């Protein structure tokens, strides 16, 4: 969305295990966190729905059929970025129905802006947005072993090296199914490591691994020892 308000800063802190705050075994969604997700999703959707309407040109007038077609295209595009994979036909149908329902909930008799707002708020609370869901390829490699899809590999790479969603280049590689071999994955990993965003992820890992937050107040209060560290 290009949003800079950082609503997640108001969420309750994640549970830590072994010094790390991203251990899946101990992370839970408390009622307070779920409420934070709800408020953030609805707030972001309300803030940006008018701008997002620029992607639905046929919704500017009274062409409801053309508007519904634009909405489906928007759902496919926005949903792919939010879920980090293409939406299924069933998901597109569900969100399209939600859009149509939302158009009747606004102040005017037909309000596509409210439809977009409802769709975005729903997507930002979907498990497919909030979690990294991995089902793998349809055919197992061996018993209980499945190969990840290119889109699932893209998410693994992106959250490991950038701590955020895949960029357009990584999604394009996944679109072309070019994240299957070790060479293809290494090529993208090296590209990502050359960006400033990767430095932040590496610093965050070391900050948690070495528990620097525990000694930072003392360093800030007393400064660096110039004799030990000239």
């Amino acid at each position: 969305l290009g949003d800079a308000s950082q609503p997640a800063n108001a969420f309750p802190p994640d549970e830590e295990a072994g010094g790390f705050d991203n251990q899946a075994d101990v992370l839970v969604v408390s009622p307070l966190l779920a409420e934070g997700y709800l408020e953030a999703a609805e707030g972001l959707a309300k803030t940006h729905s008018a701008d997002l309407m620029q992607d639905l040109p046929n919704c500017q007038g009274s062409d409801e059929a053309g508007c519904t077609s634009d909405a489906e295209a928007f759902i496919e595009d926005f949903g792919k970025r939010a879920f980090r994979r293409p939406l299924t036909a069933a998901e597109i149908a569900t969100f399209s129905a939600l859009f149509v329902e939302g158009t009747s909930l606004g102040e005017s008799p037909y309000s596509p802006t409210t439809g977009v707002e409802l769709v975005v708020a729903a997507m930002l609370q979907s498990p497919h947005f909030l979690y990294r869901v991995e089902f793998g390829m349809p055919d197992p490699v061996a018993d209980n072993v499945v190969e990840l899809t290119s889109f699932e590999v893209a998410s693994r790479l992106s959250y490991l090296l950038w701590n955020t969603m895949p960029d357009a280049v990584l999604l394009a590689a996944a679109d072309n199914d070019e994240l299957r071999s070790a060479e293809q994955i290494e090529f993208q990993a090296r590209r990502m490591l050359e960006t400033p965003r990767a430095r932040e992820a590496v610093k965050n890992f070391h900050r948690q691994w070495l528990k620097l937050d525990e000694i930072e107040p003392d360093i800030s209060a007393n400064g660096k020892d110039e004799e030990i560290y000239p």
Side-chain angles (χ1 to χ4, degrees):
L1 290 170
D3 188 271
S5 62
Q6 299 183 327
N9 289 344
F11 294 167
D14 290 324
E15 294 290 335
E16 292 189 8
F20 291 95
D21 62 6
N22 61 347
Q23 297 276 21
D25 290 340
V26 300
L27 294 179
V28 297
V29 178
S30 64
L32 187 61
L33 181 56
E35 183 180 350
Y37 285 153
L38 169 66
E39 292 177 354
E42 291 183 343
L44 289 167
K46 190 174 187 64
T47 299
H48 296 281
S49 57
D51 291 335
L52 292 172
M53 284 298 297
Q54 298 176 13
D55 296 330
L56 290 76
N58 287 314
C59 293
Q60 310 306 322
S62 57
D63 181 8
E64 293 190 18
C67 182
T68 301
S69 178
D70 279 0
E72 289 182 0
F74 168 78
I75 287 166
E76 287 189 59
D77 178 63
F78 188 84
K80 181 179 179 180
R81 287 181 285 139
F83 292 2
R84 304 170 293 278
R85 59 162 176 79
L87 272 63
T88 65
E91 288 170 333
I92 294 172
T94 297
F95 285 111
S96 295
L98 188 62
F99 169 81
V100 172
E101 181 180 347
T103 60
S104 64
L105 301 178
E107 296 179 359
S108 58
Y110 186 70
S111 177
T113 303
T114 305
V116 167
E117 184 179 326
L118 201 62
V119 166
V120 172
M123 284 186 176
L124 296 184
Q125 294 175 81
S126 167
H128 296 281
F129 171 72
L130 295 173
Y131 299 95
R132 299 214 303 275
V133 180
E134 294 181 348
F135 291 120
M137 301 289 283
D139 299 320
V141 176
D143 291 340
N144 300 320
V145 177
V146 295
E147 182 182 4
L148 296 180
T149 68
S150 282
F151 284 100
E152 290 166 343
V153 171
S155 281
R156 276 204 178 189
L157 271 176
S158 189
Y159 282 94
L160 171 66
L161 301 178
W162 284 350
N163 199 28
T164 189
M165 62 191 294
D167 65 354
V169 176
L170 201 53
L171 283 178
D175 262 329
N176 296 324
D177 205 19
E178 294 175 348
L179 289 171
R180 301 288 293 279
S181 70
E183 292 77 16
Q184 290 172 330
I185 294 171
E186 180 182 350
F187 174 81
Q188 291 295 335
R190 290 188 179 278
R191 175 186 70 83
M192 297 167 69
L193 284 169
E194 291 175 356
T195 66
R197 189 182 290 175
R199 295 183 64 83
E200 289 302 315
V202 172
K203 283 197 295 185
N204 182 51
F205 166 75
H206 284 86
R207 188 180 298 115
Q208 297 188 63
W209 175 43
L210 299 173
K211 301 183 179 180
L212 298 183
D213 287 340
E214 296 181 12
I215 63 173
E216 194 170 352
D218 187 55
I219 295 174
S220 299
N222 300 304
K224 181 179 69 171
D225 189 317
E226 298 294 342
E227 293 185 6
I228 298 177
Y229 304 104

